[in-house]
Amino acid sequence: MTVLLNAVRPTRRRTAWLSVNLALVIFVVLYGVIAILQPNYLDAALFMNFLRRAAPLIILACGQLFVILSGGFDLSMGAVVTLVVLAASMLIGGDPDMTWTVIAILYAMGLAVGLANGLIVSFLKVPSIIATLGTMLLVNGLALAWSGGAPRGDLPDNFRNLGRLVLKDVPLVGSLPIAVVILVVVTLLAWWGLHATAYGKRLLAVGDNPRAAELAGVPVKPTRISAFVVSALSAVTAGILIGGFSGVSVNAGRGLELQAIAACVIGGAQLLGGRGTIVGALFGALSLFALFTLLNLLGLPQALRDSLQGLILIAAVGVTVLRYRRST
Amino acid sequence: MSVNATPVAMTRRGFRDVPVPVVVIALAALIYVTAAIVTGQANQISAAGLTGLLQRTVALGLVGLGQTFAILVGSIDLSVAALISTVAVLASYLMQGDPSMIVPAIAACVALSLGVGAINGVLVAYWGINPLIATLSTGLILQGLLSASFTFLSGSVAPSFQALAYQNLLGVPLPVLLLAVFALAAWFVLAKTRFGAHLYAAGGNPDGAKLAGLRVQRLVLGAHVIASFAACVAGLYLAARLQSGTPWIGRDGIYDLESIAIVVIGGTLLSGGKGGVLGTIAGVLLFASLDASFNMFGVDAFLKQVLRGAIVIAAVSVYAVRNRGHVA
């Protein structure tokens, strides 16, 4: 760091790379411990299975990253996941022919929630943490009111396969879950959108300094709204996968929004905008999921997940704060 | 919701000198009386009905008073819901129905809450972690430890402690008096003491306050300790009211979001430095009368959640929409 202090850009790039590295190192260490406890986690098939179960969290983290980079938070993701799972079960009602129509409807719902979040934040000027907490209550309440608190209906196999089918005897990798294919496609799309387009640069500019971005001609409001839409659509995708492998439950999405934020932060994203990468979010989510897997293997109570997540959030943000302080 | 929004905006333009709390209280009364008349339950507009209404305000009002301090100083406290649960469970666990344990149990709860407040304050003021993330995380840590250690109801408060929540003094329920006393004390501290003036200064312009020689970090710490203490009193009240605490009492009551909402509805700026206790009390009255009206109309529990989410957003936007700049 000290060697590069005279050049600003390389330093910043280096810190971003450092934080990706940090998440990568955490993930490798955690997965190493898992592999020591359960050596079969080193099998390609089990690793694919691990990726399959981590896929929703990674997809959520990629979506959340868009909002975080734009300077906000999206706390309504978990509620959208719950809505998707409940709505899918009720709309499909076990009829396999309905699957693709219903998936389209689900994405339309996600679009509506994302637009609502974005419009409330951009035009009503409600801080996103309160706005999305509000829509979280609203969407959760709607999902529960619609299903009457006890979901009816069943998900047909062709819907559930998106989350749970594993293709066997695929060349190179052996077994390949559909969820992992979806995961790769979504991650690549998110990476492209954020790091290879002018839109991605605008998003970063808006998160860094909205006033400056506005003066530079960036359409601040549409950019910010689009971030919330991306986030909500990724929540729909994650919800479809979760419905696929865990089935219908009214708690399907509880707490996922915080996990997604934690994943981004572990991956080096700066809260309130301006810095972060998809690769960081990817490894942040993998680290978090490896940690949860490890807790399960150690037989610790599920509830401690929350506590650990709190500690990680504080540590991750705290480290960023200290590093920032040192560099200024 | 637009029905709520217009009168406030219009009144403010027409009678610019009418303070926000008065407008909000008038609105609350209007809603309550209209609901009572429309649903043909005019008997709700009586001393008994109003006492019931006031009783509903106690828990949220206490939390809101503490939240007012945190918000005024430019911070926020999202850990209150988890703290309320922890205090309620701890109180009933320590008492186990034994009157001689009342004082030690209360002492333990107060000590715990002061500790949590101090941790929040240190994380926010001295370490410089974003208050939303810091307090969200301490809340997560508390909630995780709590749910991991108490999966079912354990113990109950002493009968004589429970009686406190149901007794009347001069025809007024004791809890309502408690809230009144705390509100007066909070008003006195904010309006009449040097500490209060410093809080406003630190919240309105931290850099200026620092240059003027105020110890801003210490003020933020103090505000967080007060916020946690208020949540502790609310938790003790709920434990007394319900005989025993459950680990979800705070989360189910959405005390974190609702306490912020009533503070903001009362005219306190989310960015700090402007507002006060009177507004918070007016805000809690508005929420209580809305809640009472929902009950009179017999709104379904899930739908009530939807309406709450919408109302929080609408209420905050009434103030936020006048913002000129961008918010995140």
Side-chain angles (χ1 to χ4, degrees):
Chain A
M1 291 266 276
T2 43
V3 191
L4 289 167
L5 264 181
N6 49 350
V8 179
R9 279 184 65 85
T11 320
R12 179 173 288 180
R13 211 170 268 170
R14 204 177 132 92
T15 42
W17 179 230
L18 259 180
S19 44
V20 172
N21 267 340
L22 196 68
L24 179 66
V25 168
I26 296 174
F27 170 61
V28 170
V29 168
L30 285 173
Y31 203 84
V33 177
I34 293 174
I36 291 169
L37 292 172
Q38 289 275 315
N40 54 0
Y41 262 86
L42 290 176
D43 289 355
L46 255 143
F47 181 69
M48 277 299 166
N49 195 37
F50 173 84
L51 275 186
R52 186 190 64 131
R53 283 181 295 126
L57 182 56
I58 298 172
I59 293 172
L60 286 171
C62 288
Q64 181 74 249
L65 185 67
F66 277 69
V67 177
I68 288 184
L69 289 185
S70 80
F73 298 90
D74 186 356
L75 298 180
S76 64
M77 286 186 125
V80 173
V81 169
T82 307
L83 175 72
V84 163
V85 172
L86 294 182
S89 78
M90 281 179 301
L91 288 175
I92 296 181
D95 177 7
D97 296 335
M98 287 289 288
T99 296
W100 300 106
T101 327
V102 168
I103 285 179
I105 297 174
L106 295 177
Y107 275 102
M109 287 178 177
L111 184 69
V113 175
L115 275 178
N117 280 335
L119 291 171
I120 291 169
V121 171
S122 296
F123 287 97
L124 296 182
K125 308 278 174 74
V126 179
S128 64
I129 199 145
I130 293 190
T132 56
L133 261 172
T135 43
M136 172 181 104
L137 281 180
L138 215 150
V139 172
N140 233 341
L142 275 180
L144 290 173
W146 187 9
S147 65
R152 308 171 296 274
D154 231 353
L155 293 172
D157 278 341
N158 65 348
F159 186 94
R160 296 203 64 174
N161 279 345
L162 291 171
R164 77 180 168 184
L165 183 74
V166 179
L167 303 174
K168 300 277 184 213
D169 300 322
V170 178
L172 282 169
V173 283
S175 66
L176 185 64
I178 303 279
V180 173
V181 178
I182 298 174
L183 167 68
V184 170
V185 172
V186 170
T187 321
L188 281 178
L189 262 178
W191 183 87
W192 174 78
L194 209 54
H195 300 305
T197 60
Y199 166 77
K201 298 271 181 276
R202 285 205 290 268
L203 197 67
L204 280 164
V206 166
D208 211 14
N209 186 339
R211 182 76 185 122
E214 188 175 43
L215 292 174
V218 175
V220 173
K221 285 176 181 170
T223 310
R224 193 162 265 163
I225 294 170
S226 70
F228 283 102
V229 170
V230 169
S231 166
L233 293 182
S234 76
V236 175
T237 314
I240 291 172
L241 295 186
I242 288 174
F245 60 74
S246 354
V248 183
S249 135
V250 287
N251 287 328
R254 174 164 263 174
L256 286 178
E257 63 282 347
L258 292 180
Q259 294 181 15
I261 295 176
C264 292
V265 171
I266 296 170
Q270 184 178 302
L271 290 174
L272 304 181
R275 188 168 69 217
T277 59
I278 287 290
V279 183
L282 167 72
F283 282 111
L286 280 173
S287 305
L288 202 59
F289 201 79
L291 189 71
F292 292 158
T293 312
L294 191 60
L295 283 184
N296 263 350
L297 287 178
L298 294 173
L300 287 171
Q302 286 274 331
L304 280 182
R305 270 185 180 193
D306 286 346
S307 300
L308 215 63
Q309 220 175 295
L311 280 176
I312 291 171
L313 266 174
I314 291 182
V317 178
V319 167
T320 323
V321 169
L322 289 182
R323 194 185 284 162
Y324 177 74
R325 246 190 227 163
R326 215 177 299 144
S327 70
T328 45
Chain B
M1 258 91 294
S2 52
V3 189
N4 298 351
T6 12
V8 176
M10 270 168 41
T11 331
R12 280 190 64 78
R13 214 172 296 134
F15 312 89
R16 201 159 281 179
D17 297 333
V18 179
V20 175
V22 177
V23 178
V24 175
I25 289 178
L27 191 63
L30 183 71
I31 291 171
Y32 186 74
V33 171
T34 315
I37 292 172
V38 169
T39 58
Q41 302 178 52
N43 59 336
Q44 293 283 358
I45 317 171
S46 62
L50 290 180
T51 312
L53 182 71
L54 288 176
Q55 192 103 40
R56 276 170 204 274
T57 64
V58 175
L60 185 58
L62 286 168
V63 190
L65 287 177
Q67 191 73 262
T68 311
F69 280 80
I71 292 182
L72 270 181
V73 82
S75 185
I76 205 162
D77 192 346
L78 290 175
S79 67
V80 285
L83 186 55
I84 287 172
S85 309
T86 313
V87 164
V89 169
L90 193 64
S92 45
Y93 175 73
L94 288 177
M95 279 189 213
Q96 298 286 0
D98 179 3
S100 66
M101 284 300 287
I102 292 181
V103 176
I106 292 180
C109 291
V110 170
L112 174 86
S113 68
L114 296 184
V116 172
I119 291 173
N120 280 338
V122 167
L123 291 176
V124 173
Y126 291 92
W127 200 348
I129 296 178
N130 179 322
L132 292 166
I133 294 299
T135 56
L136 199 67
S137 304
T138 46
L140 273 177
I141 295 172
L142 273 180
Q143 187 70 53
L145 290 175
L146 185 66
S147 322
S149 10
F150 299 91
T151 42
F152 49 89
L153 292 181
S154 45
S156 61
V157 298
S160 48
F161 183 66
Q162 196 186 355
L164 287 178
Y166 290 92
Q167 258 164 13
N168 286 332
L169 190 70
L170 307 171
V172 185
L174 214 50
V176 176
L177 282 180
L178 177 81
L179 175 63
V181 168
F182 271 86
L184 261 178
W187 170 82
F188 180 79
V189 168
L190 283 178
K192 298 289 169 196
T193 66
R194 185 186 297 192
F195 174 67
H198 287 178
L199 279 184
Y200 280 102
N205 183 348
D207 293 334
K210 211 171 280 173
L211 290 174
L214 300 187
R215 297 170 196 271
V216 172
Q217 293 175 324
R218 210 181 276 184
L219 289 166
V220 174
L221 180 76
H224 270 290
V225 170
I226 292 173
S228 292
F229 175 70
C232 167
V233 178
L236 287 171
Y237 161 72
L238 284 173
R241 186 90 190 150
L242 306 171
Q243 196 181 13
S244 70
T246 72
W248 303 279
I249 202 173
R251 196 178 66 192
D252 290 346
I254 338 175
Y255 286 106
D256 37 10
L257 180 59
E258 294 208 336
S259 64
I260 296 169
I262 60 167
V263 172
V264 175
I265 291 170
T268 300
L269 280 188
L270 252 184
S271 50
K274 189 164 175 279
V277 167
L278 259 163
T280 305
I281 294 298
V284 76
L285 278 174
L286 179 66
F287 262 48
S289 46
L290 277 170
D291 216 39
S293 321
F294 290 160
N295 285 347
M296 286 190 253
F297 281 112
V299 179
D300 150 281
F302 298 130
L303 215 57
K304 217 189 279 180
Q305 207 189 348
V306 176
L307 289 171
R308 277 178 165 184
I311 289 167
V312 168
I313 295 175
V316 176
S317 66
V318 168
Y319 294 94
V321 78
R322 276 176 272 167
N323 249 328
R324 289 248 175 273
H326 297 282
V327 297

